[in-house]
Amino acid sequence: MSGTRPAPPSGAARVGRALLDRLRRLWGWLAPRLRRALTFWRRSIQARVVASTLVLSAVVISGVGWILLQQTRDGLLRHRAEVVLGEVDAEVSDARDRLEAASGTEVNAGRQQRDLVDPIIERGVSRGYAVVLAGPEGDDPPLRTGGGEYTSGLDLVSVPRSLEDHFDGVNRPTAWTYTDIVRRPRDATTGVEGPTTRVPGIIVGSQVQLPSDGKTYTLYFLFPLTEEKDTLGLVTRALLTAAGLLLALVAGLTWVVTRQVVTPIRMARQVAERLAAGRLQERLQVAGEDDIARLAYSFNQMATNLQRQIRQLEELSWVQRRFVSDVSHELRTPLTTVRMASDVLHDAREQFDPGTARAAELLQAELDRFENLLVDLLEISRFDAGAAVLTPENVNLGDVVRRVVAAAQPLADQRGIRVVVEEPRVPVRAEVDVRRVERIVRNLVTNAIDHALVDDPDEAVIVRLASDDEAAAITVRDHGIGLAPGEASMVFNRFWRSDPARTRTSGGTGLGLAIAQEDAHLHGGWLQAWGRTGQGAQFRLTVPRHNGGTLRHSPLPLIPEDAASSDAAVVGPGTVVPAREEER
């Protein structure tokens, strides 16, 4: 079998993969640390206060330091400029005096230039400044090409073009500006140029006239600002050191102050968490008489009052549960006797007059409802007492749903409501308590039939089933009066009706959905409701496929596909979310 081998990766590809691997390893090392840092930042008010104070302090200190540096710099330069101008005036006056004292018969202009500039250059070398003699004015002095007399090692680019342009004529006033003094020192023996240096400086220009030729020349004096630069650097370092120490002091003080405030708050949070966990005896330690101490005292008083009220409510709830349980049990015996008498009367109702026969039938119907109420009350009392237990078995939920729908079919036919079951081809199986799941589905289906629209034959009560690897779900959808947002928060409350004036065809007790929700919670599942006024409602039961499993999602959406996305959807008892959002 022949074939071609893939071409080996090129060098650039190998380098790219190696770089990508390094970046992945770097990100793998950096990501958890960034997450921890962000978590610490979100949870620590102390860190945020210290960081905010440091940032604001740094901004203020930077602004003040910049202003101080600018004022110091301007003062140094202004003082240096005054000294330089005075020194230049002295040099120019001395040069003019020497020129006036020269012989009137002197005609050698070159010699007079050297006699003029050489002493100034020598004094400049000894005093640390450079000198350039340019001119005469009116000609084209080759200053940039090395013409004129100037201090050895000075680069003529140090003379700014703007200052040259100022002295493009005669009788120009003295002028000065800032410049960079560039030097290229040359070894006197070898002629090799040394490294170029560039320092800031002040250049002053002034014109003089040579008697020998009557022409005007310009003297440029270049004074370095090395001392001022060093002084400014020293001031800058001092300000930076002071700013660093001040920021450290501010950070320390802020940390101490915030710690004094945050520590009691953290203790209060910890105590509040323990109180929320049921440890009602927890209290804050009170020390001192300041605001924090009074807050701790008020917190302890609140905790004591809450503990007292919770105990009272627990005792009242226990008394209520005990009363309901005792009354439910005690009523069964007289109810049995009344049931026996009612059965006798109901069986003999054909021998009575019509009014008495109707009364016997009503008595029998109300006794049936009373018995259902007692059964529901006993079931609620078992849930309240924590005595309800599961008897799970692996069943096909589709069989349970079809059995419930078949039992509710006479009620649906009586109201003219169609009940449709939609289930997948694969059986929906789960480990559940069949009796409790059947009771949940029966409550949902009979409620949907009760609230469906009778005058719309095209609408139907739709029961859907679905499952995945972790969960199984059943939804019951009706297109009746629906649930208003305010009503949805009470839909699972005991003895609550969406429309108190509405007649219950199925003769419910008002405890059905409350018991159904308790049954769902006993399975570790969810029973949730969605409703929209005038467009019906949908209830969804979701249970783990395996007993003891944990639910993370539901195989069926709570919000029906035919619902408009503009209104609000209700998830569970009283929770409102946007209809376009798929919860869980």
Side-chain angles (χ1 to χ4, degrees):
M1 184 176 181
S2 62
T4 59
R5 293 184 179 180
S10 64
R14 288 195 299 270
V15 171
R17 282 199 297 270
L19 180 60
L20 187 60
D21 291 339
R22 290 184 180 178
L23 290 176
R24 287 198 187 100
R25 288 195 297 271
L26 177 61
W27 177 250
W29 177 85
L30 190 61
R33 288 164 175 80
L34 286 176
R35 285 193 293 269
R36 285 196 294 270
L38 291 175
T39 301
F40 175 76
W41 175 261
R42 290 194 302 269
R43 294 181 178 179
S44 177
I45 188 174
Q46 189 174 5
R48 293 200 298 273
V49 170
V50 172
S52 302
T53 305
L54 280 178
V55 171
L56 293 176
S57 301
V59 172
V60 173
I61 292 174
S62 299
V64 173
W66 183 82
I67 293 174
L68 290 177
L69 284 176
Q70 291 298 317
Q71 291 180 347
T72 303
R73 175 180 174 273
D74 293 342
L76 290 173
L77 293 178
R78 185 168 53 251
H79 178 265
R80 181 58 173 164
E82 292 174 356
V83 173
V84 164
L85 289 174
E87 192 168 350
V88 169
D89 287 341
E91 287 286 351
V92 173
S93 297
D94 180 70
R96 287 172 179 169
D97 291 341
R98 286 189 288 108
L99 290 175
E100 291 177 357
S103 174
T105 61
E106 180 68 44
V107 294
N108 190 342
R111 176 63 177 273
Q112 198 170 35
Q113 289 181 20
R114 287 191 297 273
D115 292 342
L116 170 67
V117 75
D118 288 347
I120 300 177
I121 291 177
E122 291 175 0
R123 283 194 295 273
V125 172
S126 62
R127 296 179 183 179
Y129 61 85
V131 179
V132 176
L133 177 64
E137 299 300 335
D139 296 340
D140 188 12
L143 183 60
R144 297 287 171 176
T145 59
E149 301 289 337
Y150 56 90
T151 302
S152 176
L154 178 69
D155 194 329
L156 294 180
V157 297
S158 303
V159 180
R161 181 72 68 179
S162 60
L163 194 60
E164 283 189 73
D165 295 338
H166 174 75
F167 294 104
D168 59 354
V170 296
N171 297 324
R172 301 292 183 176
T174 301
W176 68 277
T177 187
Y178 296 108
T179 186
D180 287 334
I181 301 175
V182 181
R183 291 181 180 271
R184 291 189 175 90
R186 184 185 299 271
D187 192 303
T189 58
T190 63
V192 179
E193 289 187 356
T196 301
T197 61
R198 182 184 296 268
V199 295
I202 295 177
I203 181 171
V204 182
S206 184
Q207 290 183 334
V208 294
Q209 188 176 20
L210 294 183
S212 60
D213 58 4
K215 294 183 178 180
T216 301
Y217 293 80
T218 303
L219 280 171
Y220 296 100
F221 298 85
L222 294 92
F223 294 84
L225 296 174
T226 307
E227 293 182 1
E228 288 73 17
K229 181 180 178 182
D230 295 339
T231 303
L232 193 62
L234 179 62
V235 173
T236 303
R237 289 191 295 272
L239 286 176
L240 289 177
T241 303
L245 294 176
L246 183 59
L247 285 177
L249 179 61
V250 169
L253 290 176
T254 307
W255 182 268
V256 172
V257 173
T258 54
R259 184 176 181 82
Q260 292 178 351
V261 177
V262 171
T263 299
I265 296 176
R266 288 176 178 170
M267 295 175 61
R269 175 184 59 82
Q270 294 170 358
V271 173
E273 290 175 351
R274 289 194 286 269
L275 287 172
R279 299 166 61 180
L280 302 179
Q281 72 281 359
E282 292 288 337
R283 296 293 184 272
L284 284 173
Q285 294 182 357
V286 181
E289 297 180 356
D290 55 9
D291 292 336
I292 298 297
R294 284 183 289 183
L295 175 62
Y297 178 75
S298 301
F299 183 91
N300 291 340
Q301 281 187 324
M302 179 190 67
T304 301
N305 293 334
L306 285 176
Q307 183 181 14
R308 184 185 306 113
Q309 293 178 8
I310 289 173
R311 286 178 178 174
Q312 291 176 356
L313 291 174
E314 287 177 347
E315 293 175 358
L316 179 61
S317 178
W318 181 84
V319 170
Q320 290 176 341
R321 290 196 301 267
R322 183 64 181 269
F323 174 77
V324 171
S325 178
D326 291 345
V327 168
S328 301
H329 282 88
E330 293 298 328
L331 285 177
R332 294 189 70 85
T333 300
L335 182 61
T336 303
T337 304
V338 175
R339 165 64 72 181
M340 294 174 60
S342 175
D343 290 342
V344 172
L345 293 175
H346 187 267
D347 293 340
R349 68 184 182 281
E350 295 180 355
Q351 303 175 9
F352 302 149
D353 59 85
T356 305
R358 178 58 180 164
E361 292 176 353
L362 292 176
L363 177 62
Q364 187 76 3
E366 292 302 317
L367 282 175
D368 291 339
R369 184 179 178 186
F370 191 39
E371 282 186 340
N372 292 333
L373 178 60
L374 280 181
V375 170
D376 289 345
L377 286 174
L378 287 172
E379 190 68 20
I380 285 290
S381 66
R382 280 193 287 270
F383 281 122
D384 291 338
V389 294
L390 281 179
T391 307
E393 55 181 304
N394 194 335
V395 297
N396 184 358
L397 295 181
D399 297 337
V400 177
V401 170
R402 285 190 294 272
R403 186 162 57 247
V404 170
V405 170
Q409 193 61 49
L411 177 62
D413 294 340
Q414 179 183 350
R415 289 181 51 82
I417 303 298
R418 293 187 303 116
V419 181
V420 179
V421 179
E422 298 180 359
E423 56 181 316
R425 296 180 181 179
V426 179
V428 178
R429 305 190 67 87
E431 296 179 4
V432 296
D433 189 325
V434 178
R435 179 181 66 86
R436 296 183 184 277
V437 171
E438 187 171 341
R439 180 165 59 191
I440 296 172
V441 178
R442 182 169 59 250
N443 272 293
L444 299 182
V445 171
T446 54
N447 280 343
I449 294 174
D450 274 340
H451 294 88
L453 295 178
V454 181
D455 55 351
D456 191 350
D458 295 331
E459 299 293 347
V461 174
I462 302 174
V463 184
R464 292 186 177 90
L465 296 91
S467 65
D468 56 22
D469 295 337
E470 298 180 357
I474 301 172
T475 60
V476 180
R477 171 80 161 105
D478 68 76
H479 298 82
I481 60 175
L483 293 172
E487 298 174 343
S489 60
M490 301 179 290
V491 69
F492 294 103
N493 290 353
R494 300 174 184 182
F495 300 107
W496 179 83
R497 292 187 180 186
S498 61
D499 185 3
R502 186 180 177 89
T503 302
R504 285 185 178 269
T505 307
S506 58
T509 63
L511 295 173
L513 287 179
I515 295 175
Q517 189 182 48
E518 295 292 345
D519 283 332
H521 290 169
L522 197 61
H523 283 84
W526 307 326
L527 182 59
Q528 299 161 300
W530 167 90
R532 184 177 301 155
T533 304
Q535 296 191 28
Q538 177 163 290
F539 288 78
R540 182 181 70 181
L541 170 66
T542 309
V543 294
R545 288 197 60 187
H546 305 286
N547 185 35
T550 302
L551 288 181
R552 296 180 178 86
H553 65 279
S554 180
L556 289 175
L558 176 61
I559 305 167
E561 296 179 356
D562 58 351
S565 62
S566 59
D567 290 346
V570 179
V571 182
T575 304
V576 179
V577 300
R580 65 178 61 90
E581 180 181 347
E582 180 61 24
E583 48 77 40
R584 300 212 192 194

